[in-house]
Amino acid sequence: MSRMQFDRRAFLGSTAGLALLAGAPAFAATRTEEDAKMRVLFDQFFEEGLDASPQGATSLGLDKGARAAAKSKLNGESLADLAQDKARTADQLKRLGTVDRAKLSDGDKPNYDAVKFNLETEAQADARFKYGSNGGRTTYVLSQLNGAYQDIPDFLGSQHTLETKADADAYIARLDAFGGVMDQELERARHDVALGVVPPDFVIERALIQMRGLKTDPAASPLVTSVATRAKDKGVAGDYAGQAARIYADKVIPALDRQIAHMESLKAKATHDAGVWRLPDGEAYYQSALRAMTTTTLTAQEIHELGLEQAKALSARADVILKGAGYTQGSVGARIDALFKDPKYHYANTDEAKVQLIADLNEMVKAIRPRLPETFGALPKAEVEIRRVPKFIEAGAPGGYYNRPALDGSRPGIYWINLRDSAENPKWTLKTLTYHEAIPGHHLQRSLQQEADLPMLRRIAGFPAYSEGWALYSEELAKEMGVYEGDPLGELGMLQAALFRSARLVVDTGLHAKRWSREKAIETMSSIDGSPPSSAATEIERYCVWPGQACSYMVGKLTWLRLRAKARTALGSRFDIRKFHDAGLLSGAMPLTVLESVIDQHVSNARA
C-alpha cells in the first residue's frame, strides 16, 4: 500500500513549485477563461494548505526559496490547528462553488470534479463527527499507526534532506519542536477520549510497545544518529550529536512519557471490541469512511458480498497452481499457509540475508523495465529506490509501502519493505509486492501524475481507490506482460495477493459493520488467503484504526478492469492499451466515478 494516505495538510503544494517542473506548459490553447479562473483558485488552495503544512513543503521538495523557513518547522497538531483545517475546507468548498463547471473545458472538468468530491467528503465528515481528523479518515489520534512518535522519526530520517549547515540546523529546530507536537496530540487525544473514543485494548498495547521502543540511550537514538552522521558525511561542522542528544533527553522523552502514561491510563477504559461501530455515531462514521476510501456509494453489505465472490473465483485459479506444485490436500487457504511456512522459500532471518533480499528486489525492477513500452505510452522520469522499513517502527508498520519522489527531483520514489521477519516474505510473494509498490504500480502511477500537465493541486492529490486500485490492477497487468512465464509459484503470489485484498473486503466490513471480533477477523483472513496469523494480526489491527481503507484496493482494481473491458468493447480494433493507460494515468488520481467519465471521454475521442 501507499503508506502516505491522502492528507490535504501534508500534500498541498504552492505555485512556487510550478517553476520546479520544467517543461510544464502554461494554459493550453483549448482551455477556457473558466479553466483559468479555476486554476488560479487551485493555486490559492495550494498556498493556503502549504502555509499550514511545513512538512508538506519538505515532502514535495518545496522547502526552499520563499518557503525555506518551513524546513525548520513541523505541522501543528493542536485542537486549534484541527479547527483551522476544518474551516479552510469549508471555505474552499464555498469558493469552488463560484466556478461554473459548464464553462470548463472537457480536460479540466475532471480536475473540478475530483477536487469537489474531496472537499465535499471532508466537509460532510467534519460537520458530523467531532472526533478524528483528515475528514474522518483518521479515527484515533494515537495508535500503532498514528502519531508523531512514529511519523516524525521516519520523516526526519527519510524526507528531511541534509546538505548544508542550514539543513542541519533546521533538523535540530524540528527535533526541538517534536515534543511540543506530541503534547498537542495529547490534547486532542484527551478531547476524543472525553467523547468516548478509546482505541481497542490490543491497539493500545501495540502502540505502547512501539512508543517504548523509541526510548533508548540518546547517543544510540536514530533521531540523534541521523543528523550527526549525515552532517559529518557532508562536512558540516558542529556538535549536532550533542545538541540532538540533549533535546532528545530533555524534551522528546518527557513528551513521549506523557503519551505513554496517557495510553496506560486508557487500559481501564478500553474494550476488546475492534470496530468503529462502538464509537459515537459509529455506523454512520464507517459508511462515511467507505465513501471516502472507495469513492463509491457501495454499502458495507455490498462490499462484503463482493469480497466473498472474488475470494471464491480467485481460490479456484489458485487451486490449479497449488495442485501442480504438489499441494493437493486441504483448503486453498491451508495449502497457501503451508507454502508460506516452507523454509525452502525463506530468506534467512539475518541482516545479511535481508540485504540480499533487497538486492533481489532491485533485479526484479530492472527486469520488468524493458517490458513497459509495450503497455504504456508515457513513462516516469523519476527513479525508485528500495529500502528496509526502519527497525524501530517495523513492529506495527505494513508489509510494504511507497513514498512519492520530491517534485524537484531531490529525492526518488521509495519502496519500503518490512523485514521484521523473513518468513513473512517468502520468495514466491516478492515479485507481486514489488510490482505493486514500484513499477508498474505506485511508483509509475504517482510519478506520472506528478510529471503530468495538471494543476499542482491535482499532481499531488491522492484517492486510495484509484491509486491502490491501480497498484492491485498492476499486479495482474504484470502477469499479462509475461513476467510470470515459467514461474507458477510467482503467479500464485499474484493470486494470493488478490485473495488477500478480497479478504480485506470481507474482514473490514466484518469488523466495522458486522461487529466481528479481532480474532474472528484474523481467522477469516488466514482461511481465505493463507497468510500467517502473525501477518494477518498486523493487518487486522491496521484495519481497526484505518476503517474503510482496506476496501479501496479491490474495489479500485475491479473498476480499472471493468473500464478497460468497456473501452476494448467500444473501440474494437482501435483499442490501444497504451493509450488507455495514458488516459487514465495522465489525468491524475481521482474518484472512481470521475475515472469512468475520463475513460468515456477517451473512447469518444478515439472514435472521432
Side-chain angles (χ1 to χ4, degrees):
M1 68 123 196
S2 172
R3 182 167 188 255
M4 300 287 239
Q5 298 308 309
F6 179 68
D7 180 339
R8 293 176 57 252
R9 296 185 62 209
F11 289 109
L12 289 178
S14 101
T15 50
L18 292 171
L20 299 174
L21 297 162
F27 291 167
T30 56
R31 292 186 183 138
T32 68
E33 290 184 7
E34 203 69 8
D35 292 350
K37 174 183 174 181
M38 182 190 72
R39 287 177 173 239
V40 168
L41 189 62
F42 283 180
D43 286 347
Q44 293 171 4
F45 292 177
F46 276 123
E47 292 288 352
E48 293 159 5
L50 201 62
D51 284 345
S53 182
Q55 287 174 235
T58 293
S59 295
L60 294 169
L62 301 177
D63 54 357
K64 56 196 67 177
R67 292 280 182 188
K71 195 159 188 176
S72 299
K73 301 175 182 178
L74 298 175
N75 294 350
E77 298 293 345
S78 68
L79 285 169
D81 291 314
L82 184 60
Q84 289 173 7
D85 286 347
K86 293 181 177 182
R88 186 166 54 254
T89 297
D91 180 62
Q92 290 180 355
L93 180 59
K94 180 179 179 180
R95 287 150 61 196
L96 184 64
T98 66
V99 175
D100 186 345
R101 184 185 184 280
K103 295 181 180 178
L104 295 172
S105 67
D106 288 342
D108 260 344
K109 283 177 181 175
N111 292 323
Y112 174 93
D113 292 341
V115 173
K116 183 179 180 183
F117 177 93
N118 186 63
L119 290 173
E120 281 186 337
T121 302
E122 285 199 19
Q124 290 167 4
D126 287 345
R128 181 159 188 170
F129 308 110
K130 307 306 178 186
Y131 57 92
S133 60
N134 196 17
R137 294 178 176 91
T138 303
T139 307
Y140 305 110
V141 180
L142 298 173
S143 74
Q144 82 279 21
L145 294 175
N146 302 317
Y149 82 91
Q150 180 181 101
D151 295 338
I152 297 304
D154 188 12
F155 170 81
L156 288 175
S158 65
Q159 298 194 52
H160 182 106
T161 57
L162 200 160
E163 299 290 337
T164 67
K165 185 177 188 304
D167 294 338
D169 291 342
Y171 182 109
I172 293 297
R174 277 179 157 164
L175 184 61
D176 191 62
F178 183 16
V181 169
M182 284 194 281
D183 285 339
Q184 291 176 343
E185 289 179 328
L186 191 55
E187 171 196 22
R188 283 178 45 217
R190 287 169 173 161
H191 167 272
D192 288 1
V193 168
L195 296 175
V197 180
V198 178
D201 54 9
F202 53 86
V203 167
I204 293 171
E205 287 295 344
R206 179 77 75 171
L208 282 169
I209 289 171
Q210 295 191 172
M211 287 176 169
R212 292 181 179 125
L214 186 61
K215 296 177 62 175
T216 184
D217 177 73
S221 169
L223 287 164
V224 175
T225 59
S226 176
V227 64
T229 301
R230 289 193 285 162
K232 181 179 179 181
D233 289 346
K234 295 297 180 179
V236 176
D239 182 19
Y240 289 102
Q243 291 183 69
R246 285 189 292 274
I247 294 170
Y248 175 83
D250 296 344
K251 295 188 176 182
V252 174
I253 291 302
L256 185 61
D257 282 339
R258 288 188 285 273
Q259 288 198 348
I260 290 172
H262 168 75
M263 297 299 279
E264 285 282 359
S265 74
L266 295 183
K267 287 183 177 180
K269 302 177 182 179
T271 71
H272 198 62
D273 293 328
V276 296
W277 56 265
R278 63 189 172 76
L279 302 181
D281 204 11
E283 292 183 0
Y285 185 93
Y286 183 52
Q287 191 58 48
S288 175
L290 286 179
R291 172 172 168 74
M293 293 300 179
T294 70
T295 62
T296 70
T297 57
L298 290 171
T299 66
Q301 183 61 32
E302 288 170 333
I303 291 173
H304 190 82
E305 291 173 358
L306 183 63
L308 292 173
E309 292 168 4
Q310 286 296 307
K312 182 178 180 180
L314 290 162
S315 292
R317 292 167 61 188
D319 179 56
V320 174
I321 295 177
L322 284 164
K323 286 178 178 176
Y327 291 83
T328 60
Q329 301 299 313
S331 68
V332 166
R335 281 178 279 164
I336 291 177
D337 180 51
L339 198 59
F340 260 109
K341 294 175 180 176
D342 192 332
K344 71 182 177 183
Y345 298 115
H346 296 174
Y347 287 83
N349 207 29
T350 64
D351 285 339
E352 292 79 10
K354 292 171 184 179
V355 169
Q356 182 60 50
L357 187 157
I358 290 178
D360 291 346
L361 299 186
N362 278 295
E363 286 300 312
M364 293 174 193
V365 171
K366 182 179 178 181
I368 199 172
R369 283 188 188 278
R371 300 175 186 257
L372 296 178
E374 302 168 10
T375 310
F376 299 94
L379 294 173
K381 299 180 181 66
E383 294 297 325
V384 61
E385 290 185 3
I386 303 172
R387 301 181 187 176
R388 179 179 179 175
V389 171
K391 291 183 179 181
F392 61 90
I393 65 168
E394 66 184 10
Y401 55 90
Y402 174 77
N403 289 157
R404 72 181 72 211
L407 284 173
D408 64 353
S410 61
R411 188 185 63 253
I414 303 172
Y415 153 30
W416 298 92
I417 182 167
N418 195 327
L419 300 182
R420 63 191 159 212
D421 182 353
S422 294
E424 293 182 8
N425 296 285
K427 295 177 182 179
W428 53 273
T429 67
L430 291 173
K431 278 187 178 179
T432 295
L433 179 61
T434 300
Y435 302 145
H436 180 105
E437 299 296 346
I439 54 176
H442 282 313
H443 178 68
L444 185 143
Q445 180 259 309
R446 292 191 181 277
S447 296
L448 284 179
Q449 179 179 346
Q450 287 192 176
E451 295 164 9
D453 177 21
L454 293 169
M456 281 286 286
L457 184 64
R458 297 282 298 117
R459 294 183 189 190
I460 58 174
F463 292 87
Y466 174 96
S467 56
E468 297 296 355
W470 169 263
L472 185 55
Y473 164 77
S474 293
E475 297 175 12
E476 190 148 334
L477 183 64
K479 176 180 180 293
E480 296 171 5
M481 295 166 67
V483 296
Y484 294 118
E485 290 179 4
D487 183 13
L489 287 185
E491 182 178 347
L492 181 67
M494 182 271 293
L495 292 172
Q496 190 276 334
L499 276 168
F500 172 44
R501 275 43 175 261
S502 299
R504 282 176 161 178
L505 301 183
V506 177
V507 299
D508 195 87
T509 52
L511 287 163
H512 298 297
K514 296 181 177 296
R515 306 191 177 193
W516 287 6
S517 68
R518 168 186 177 272
E519 288 69 28
K520 180 174 181 178
I522 291 171
E523 180 182 356
T524 300
M525 170 159 273
S526 291
S527 72
I528 292 174
D529 74 346
S531 57
S534 63
S535 178
T538 298
E539 289 295 323
I540 295 304
E541 290 166 2
R542 167 188 160 194
Y543 310 155
C544 292
V545 301
W546 284 350
Q549 192 271 346
C551 297
S552 61
Y553 298 71
M554 184 57 76
V555 170
K557 172 189 174 178
L558 293 176
T559 300
W560 277 102
L561 287 171
R562 177 178 63 81
L563 294 179
R564 188 177 74 174
K566 180 180 179 182
R568 192 188 299 273
T569 299
L571 293 175
S573 62
R574 286 178 290 178
F575 177 80
D576 184 331
I577 195 169
R578 293 170 298 182
K579 292 180 180 179
F580 168 80
H581 287 149
D582 286 354
L585 292 170
L586 298 182
S587 296
M590 64 194 84
L592 297 179
T593 50
V594 181
L595 176 62
E596 180 142 17
S597 70
V598 166
I599 297 304
D600 286 346
Q601 185 64 50
H602 163 68
V603 169
S604 178
N605 293 343
R607 280 173 164 170

mmCIF file of all heavy atoms in Angstrom, residues 521-553:
data_model
loop_
_atom_site.group_PDB
_atom_site.id
_atom_site.type_symbol
_atom_site.label_atom_id
_atom_site.label_comp_id
_atom_site.label_asym_id
_atom_site.label_seq_id
_atom_site.Cartn_x
_atom_site.Cartn_y
_atom_site.Cartn_z
ATOM 1 N N ALA A 521 -11.791 -11.990 12.737
ATOM 2 C CA ALA A 521 -11.271 -11.375 11.514
ATOM 3 C C ALA A 521 -9.931 -11.992 11.117
ATOM 4 O O ALA A 521 -9.681 -12.253 9.935
ATOM 5 C CB ALA A 521 -11.131 -9.867 11.709
ATOM 6 N N ILE A 522 -9.060 -12.236 12.095
ATOM 7 C CA ILE A 522 -7.760 -12.863 11.809
ATOM 8 C C ILE A 522 -7.970 -14.260 11.243
ATOM 9 O O ILE A 522 -7.361 -14.641 10.234
ATOM 10 C CB ILE A 522 -6.898 -12.919 13.088
ATOM 11 C CG1 ILE A 522 -6.473 -11.515 13.508
ATOM 12 C CG2 ILE A 522 -5.660 -13.802 12.863
ATOM 13 C CD1 ILE A 522 -5.812 -11.454 14.871
ATOM 14 N N GLU A 523 -8.833 -15.026 11.874
ATOM 15 C CA GLU A 523 -9.100 -16.391 11.421
ATOM 16 C C GLU A 523 -9.681 -16.394 10.007
ATOM 17 O O GLU A 523 -9.284 -17.209 9.161
ATOM 18 C CB GLU A 523 -10.073 -17.074 12.382
ATOM 19 C CG GLU A 523 -10.410 -18.501 12.007
ATOM 20 C CD GLU A 523 -11.428 -19.126 12.955
ATOM 21 O OE1 GLU A 523 -11.815 -18.465 13.948
ATOM 22 O OE2 GLU A 523 -11.842 -20.273 12.695
ATOM 23 N N THR A 524 -10.595 -15.459 9.742
ATOM 24 C CA THR A 524 -11.217 -15.396 8.419
ATOM 25 C C THR A 524 -10.198 -15.014 7.355
ATOM 26 O O THR A 524 -10.162 -15.609 6.268
ATOM 27 C CB THR A 524 -12.374 -14.384 8.426
ATOM 28 O OG1 THR A 524 -13.352 -14.786 9.399
ATOM 29 C CG2 THR A 524 -13.036 -14.306 7.052
ATOM 30 N N MET A 525 -9.355 -14.048 7.644
ATOM 31 C CA MET A 525 -8.351 -13.631 6.670
ATOM 32 C C MET A 525 -7.405 -14.782 6.355
ATOM 33 O O MET A 525 -7.118 -15.069 5.182
ATOM 34 C CB MET A 525 -7.567 -12.428 7.178
ATOM 35 C CG MET A 525 -6.351 -12.078 6.324
ATOM 36 S SD MET A 525 -5.788 -10.384 6.544
ATOM 37 C CE MET A 525 -6.821 -9.541 5.345
ATOM 38 N N SER A 526 -6.910 -15.464 7.361
ATOM 39 C CA SER A 526 -5.987 -16.576 7.134
ATOM 40 C C SER A 526 -6.646 -17.702 6.348
ATOM 41 O O SER A 526 -6.011 -18.344 5.508
ATOM 42 C CB SER A 526 -5.464 -17.112 8.470
ATOM 43 O OG SER A 526 -4.613 -16.176 9.095
ATOM 44 N N SER A 527 -7.940 -17.943 6.593
ATOM 45 C CA SER A 527 -8.629 -19.023 5.889
ATOM 46 C C SER A 527 -8.823 -18.708 4.417
ATOM 47 O O SER A 527 -8.864 -19.619 3.584
ATOM 48 C CB SER A 527 -9.993 -19.290 6.541
ATOM 49 O OG SER A 527 -10.916 -18.242 6.272
ATOM 50 N N ILE A 528 -8.916 -17.423 4.081
ATOM 51 C CA ILE A 528 -9.130 -17.035 2.688
ATOM 52 C C ILE A 528 -7.821 -16.971 1.912
ATOM 53 O O ILE A 528 -7.708 -17.514 0.809
ATOM 54 C CB ILE A 528 -9.871 -15.685 2.604
ATOM 55 C CG1 ILE A 528 -11.304 -15.814 3.117
ATOM 56 C CG2 ILE A 528 -9.876 -15.151 1.162
ATOM 57 C CD1 ILE A 528 -12.067 -14.506 3.206
ATOM 58 N N ASP A 529 -6.824 -16.298 2.480
ATOM 59 C CA ASP A 529 -5.596 -16.043 1.695
ATOM 60 C C ASP A 529 -4.380 -16.818 2.182
ATOM 61 O O ASP A 529 -3.320 -16.749 1.570
ATOM 62 C CB ASP A 529 -5.285 -14.548 1.660
ATOM 63 C CG ASP A 529 -4.725 -13.998 2.963
ATOM 64 O OD1 ASP A 529 -4.802 -14.694 3.992
ATOM 65 O OD2 ASP A 529 -4.228 -12.866 2.957
ATOM 66 N N GLY A 530 -4.520 -17.556 3.285
ATOM 67 C CA GLY A 530 -3.406 -18.375 3.755
ATOM 68 C C GLY A 530 -2.293 -17.612 4.428
ATOM 69 O O GLY A 530 -1.237 -18.189 4.695
ATOM 70 N N SER A 531 -2.480 -16.345 4.723
ATOM 71 C CA SER A 531 -1.405 -15.574 5.358
ATOM 72 C C SER A 531 -1.185 -16.057 6.781
ATOM 73 O O SER A 531 -2.123 -16.475 7.463
ATOM 74 C CB SER A 531 -1.744 -14.076 5.355
ATOM 75 O OG SER A 531 -2.972 -13.832 5.996
ATOM 76 N N PRO A 532 0.066 -16.026 7.268
ATOM 77 C CA PRO A 532 0.354 -16.466 8.628
ATOM 78 C C PRO A 532 -0.426 -15.638 9.644
ATOM 79 O O PRO A 532 -0.663 -14.439 9.430
ATOM 80 C CB PRO A 532 1.865 -16.219 8.767
ATOM 81 C CG PRO A 532 2.375 -16.157 7.365
ATOM 82 C CD PRO A 532 1.266 -15.578 6.548
ATOM 83 N N PRO A 533 -0.841 -16.226 10.755
ATOM 84 C CA PRO A 533 -1.605 -15.483 11.764
ATOM 85 C C PRO A 533 -0.915 -14.205 12.235
ATOM 86 O O PRO A 533 -1.570 -13.203 12.487
ATOM 87 C CB PRO A 533 -1.750 -16.502 12.906
ATOM 88 C CG PRO A 533 -1.728 -17.824 12.212
ATOM 89 C CD PRO A 533 -0.740 -17.664 11.086
ATOM 90 N N SER A 534 0.423 -14.220 12.345
ATOM 91 C CA SER A 534 1.130 -13.014 12.793
ATOM 92 C C SER A 534 0.967 -11.886 11.786
ATOM 93 O O SER A 534 0.761 -10.724 12.159
ATOM 94 C CB SER A 534 2.615 -13.312 13.005
ATOM 95 O OG SER A 534 3.236 -13.702 11.776
ATOM 96 N N SER A 535 1.049 -12.234 10.515
ATOM 97 C CA SER A 535 0.869 -11.227 9.472
ATOM 98 C C SER A 535 -0.579 -10.774 9.409
ATOM 99 O O SER A 535 -0.869 -9.574 9.280
ATOM 100 C CB SER A 535 1.302 -11.802 8.121
ATOM 101 O OG SER A 535 1.094 -10.871 7.081
ATOM 102 N N ALA A 536 -1.512 -11.713 9.513
ATOM 103 C CA ALA A 536 -2.935 -11.367 9.490
ATOM 104 C C ALA A 536 -3.289 -10.469 10.670
ATOM 105 O O ALA A 536 -4.087 -9.530 10.534
ATOM 106 C CB ALA A 536 -3.785 -12.636 9.504
ATOM 107 N N ALA A 537 -2.693 -10.743 11.832
ATOM 108 C CA ALA A 537 -2.984 -9.931 13.010
ATOM 109 C C ALA A 537 -2.568 -8.478 12.800
ATOM 110 O O ALA A 537 -3.308 -7.544 13.147
ATOM 111 C CB ALA A 537 -2.274 -10.515 14.231
ATOM 112 N N THR A 538 -1.373 -8.276 12.235
ATOM 113 C CA THR A 538 -0.907 -6.915 11.964
ATOM 114 C C THR A 538 -1.870 -6.207 11.021
ATOM 115 O O THR A 538 -2.191 -5.028 11.202
ATOM 116 C CB THR A 538 0.506 -6.936 11.352
ATOM 117 O OG1 THR A 538 1.409 -7.521 12.284
ATOM 118 C CG2 THR A 538 0.977 -5.531 11.016
ATOM 119 N N GLU A 539 -2.330 -6.930 10.005
ATOM 120 C CA GLU A 539 -3.268 -6.341 9.050
ATOM 121 C C GLU A 539 -4.601 -5.999 9.708
ATOM 122 O O GLU A 539 -5.125 -4.904 9.519
ATOM 123 C CB GLU A 539 -3.491 -7.302 7.877
ATOM 124 C CG GLU A 539 -2.306 -7.437 6.955
ATOM 125 C CD GLU A 539 -1.987 -6.142 6.223
ATOM 126 O OE1 GLU A 539 -2.926 -5.427 5.847
ATOM 127 O OE2 GLU A 539 -0.804 -5.845 6.017
ATOM 128 N N ILE A 540 -5.150 -6.906 10.453
ATOM 129 C CA ILE A 540 -6.445 -6.670 11.100
ATOM 130 C C ILE A 540 -6.361 -5.484 12.052
ATOM 131 O O ILE A 540 -7.266 -4.641 12.109
ATOM 132 C CB ILE A 540 -6.913 -7.934 11.849
ATOM 133 C CG1 ILE A 540 -7.195 -9.071 10.865
ATOM 134 C CG2 ILE A 540 -8.140 -7.636 12.700
ATOM 135 C CD1 ILE A 540 -8.196 -8.747 9.765
ATOM 136 N N GLU A 541 -5.264 -5.390 12.785
ATOM 137 C CA GLU A 541 -5.102 -4.267 13.714
ATOM 138 C C GLU A 541 -4.987 -2.951 12.953
ATOM 139 O O GLU A 541 -5.426 -1.902 13.431
ATOM 140 C CB GLU A 541 -3.882 -4.515 14.600
ATOM 141 C CG GLU A 541 -4.133 -5.644 15.594
ATOM 142 C CD GLU A 541 -2.888 -6.155 16.270
ATOM 143 O OE1 GLU A 541 -1.788 -5.597 16.004
ATOM 144 O OE2 GLU A 541 -2.989 -7.119 17.054
ATOM 145 N N ARG A 542 -4.425 -2.992 11.762
ATOM 146 C CA ARG A 542 -4.374 -1.810 10.910
ATOM 147 C C ARG A 542 -5.780 -1.380 10.490
ATOM 148 O O ARG A 542 -6.134 -0.208 10.535
ATOM 149 C CB ARG A 542 -3.519 -2.109 9.688
ATOM 150 C CG ARG A 542 -3.626 -1.084 8.574
ATOM 151 C CD ARG A 542 -2.889 -1.570 7.333
ATOM 152 N NE ARG A 542 -3.326 -0.890 6.145
ATOM 153 C CZ ARG A 542 -3.064 -1.282 4.909
ATOM 154 N NH1 ARG A 542 -2.352 -2.371 4.720
ATOM 155 N NH2 ARG A 542 -3.503 -0.616 3.886
ATOM 156 N N TYR A 543 -6.612 -2.356 10.082
ATOM 157 C CA TYR A 543 -7.961 -2.012 9.633
ATOM 158 C C TYR A 543 -8.796 -1.418 10.770
ATOM 159 O O TYR A 543 -9.704 -0.623 10.526
ATOM 160 C CB TYR A 543 -8.686 -3.249 9.081
ATOM 161 C CG TYR A 543 -7.898 -4.046 8.073
ATOM 162 C CD1 TYR A 543 -8.150 -5.392 7.866
ATOM 163 C CD2 TYR A 543 -6.873 -3.457 7.326
ATOM 164 C CE1 TYR A 543 -7.417 -6.140 6.961
ATOM 165 C CE2 TYR A 543 -6.138 -4.195 6.422
ATOM 166 C CZ TYR A 543 -6.396 -5.534 6.240
ATOM 167 O OH TYR A 543 -5.665 -6.265 5.343
ATOM 168 N N CYS A 544 -8.460 -1.808 12.000
ATOM 169 C CA CYS A 544 -9.204 -1.286 13.139
ATOM 170 C C CYS A 544 -8.995 0.205 13.339
ATOM 171 O O CYS A 544 -9.865 0.891 13.866
ATOM 172 C CB CYS A 544 -8.812 -2.043 14.408
ATOM 173 S SG CYS A 544 -9.356 -3.775 14.399
ATOM 174 N N VAL A 545 -7.838 0.715 12.920
ATOM 175 C CA VAL A 545 -7.571 2.148 13.104
ATOM 176 C C VAL A 545 -7.709 2.950 11.813
ATOM 177 O O VAL A 545 -7.744 4.180 11.848
ATOM 178 C CB VAL A 545 -6.177 2.383 13.726
ATOM 179 C CG1 VAL A 545 -6.077 1.673 15.069
ATOM 180 C CG2 VAL A 545 -5.058 1.939 12.818
ATOM 181 N N TRP A 546 -7.767 2.264 10.666
ATOM 182 C CA TRP A 546 -7.990 2.933 9.371
ATOM 183 C C TRP A 546 -9.223 2.339 8.703
ATOM 184 O O TRP A 546 -9.123 1.681 7.672
ATOM 185 C CB TRP A 546 -6.778 2.747 8.452
ATOM 186 C CG TRP A 546 -5.600 3.590 8.786
ATOM 187 C CD1 TRP A 546 -5.526 4.612 9.666
ATOM 188 C CD2 TRP A 546 -4.287 3.476 8.202
ATOM 189 N NE1 TRP A 546 -4.256 5.142 9.698
ATOM 190 C CE2 TRP A 546 -3.477 4.472 8.806
ATOM 191 C CE3 TRP A 546 -3.725 2.640 7.240
ATOM 192 C CZ2 TRP A 546 -2.136 4.640 8.473
ATOM 193 C CZ3 TRP A 546 -2.389 2.805 6.910
ATOM 194 C CH2 TRP A 546 -1.612 3.801 7.519
ATOM 195 N N PRO A 547 -10.412 2.512 9.264
ATOM 196 C CA PRO A 547 -11.609 1.874 8.707
ATOM 197 C C PRO A 547 -11.856 2.268 7.258
ATOM 198 O O PRO A 547 -11.743 3.429 6.891
ATOM 199 C CB PRO A 547 -12.735 2.383 9.621
ATOM 200 C CG PRO A 547 -12.199 3.635 10.239
ATOM 201 C CD PRO A 547 -10.728 3.393 10.405
ATOM 202 N N GLY A 548 -12.178 1.258 6.444
ATOM 203 C CA GLY A 548 -12.520 1.504 5.050
ATOM 204 C C GLY A 548 -11.364 1.509 4.088
ATOM 205 O O GLY A 548 -11.536 1.199 2.901
ATOM 206 N N GLN A 549 -10.159 1.855 4.561
ATOM 207 C CA GLN A 549 -9.028 1.984 3.644
ATOM 208 C C GLN A 549 -8.710 0.659 2.964
ATOM 209 O O GLN A 549 -8.382 0.616 1.778
ATOM 210 C CB GLN A 549 -7.803 2.504 4.402
ATOM 211 C CG GLN A 549 -6.656 2.959 3.505
ATOM 212 C CD GLN A 549 -5.685 1.832 3.148
ATOM 213 O OE1 GLN A 549 -5.692 0.772 3.760
ATOM 214 N NE2 GLN A 549 -4.841 2.072 2.161
ATOM 215 N N ALA A 550 -8.830 -0.435 3.684
ATOM 216 C CA ALA A 550 -8.515 -1.736 3.119
ATOM 217 C C ALA A 550 -9.466 -2.145 2.001
ATOM 218 O O ALA A 550 -9.149 -3.021 1.200
ATOM 219 C CB ALA A 550 -8.542 -2.799 4.216
ATOM 220 N N CYS A 551 -10.630 -1.506 1.937
ATOM 221 C CA CYS A 551 -11.605 -1.831 0.888
ATOM 222 C C CYS A 551 -11.282 -1.161 -0.435
ATOM 223 O O CYS A 551 -11.850 -1.525 -1.467
ATOM 224 C CB CYS A 551 -13.001 -1.418 1.335
ATOM 225 S SG CYS A 551 -13.597 -2.284 2.808
ATOM 226 N N SER A 552 -10.391 -0.198 -0.415
ATOM 227 C CA SER A 552 -10.136 0.590 -1.620
ATOM 228 C C SER A 552 -9.436 -0.224 -2.706
ATOM 229 O O SER A 552 -9.654 -0.007 -3.899
ATOM 230 C CB SER A 552 -9.296 1.820 -1.267
ATOM 231 O OG SER A 552 -8.039 1.469 -0.719
ATOM 232 N N TYR A 553 -8.606 -1.185 -2.329
ATOM 233 C CA TYR A 553 -7.769 -1.907 -3.278
ATOM 234 C C TYR A 553 -8.600 -2.689 -4.300
ATOM 235 O O TYR A 553 -8.493 -2.473 -5.512
ATOM 236 C CB TYR A 553 -6.850 -2.884 -2.542
ATOM 237 C CG TYR A 553 -5.871 -2.247 -1.592
ATOM 238 C CD1 TYR A 553 -6.290 -1.666 -0.396
ATOM 239 C CD2 TYR A 553 -4.514 -2.246 -1.866
ATOM 240 C CE1 TYR A 553 -5.389 -1.097 0.474
ATOM 241 C CE2 TYR A 553 -3.597 -1.687 -0.996
ATOM 242 C CZ TYR A 553 -4.046 -1.104 0.171
ATOM 243 O OH TYR A 553 -3.149 -0.537 1.042
#
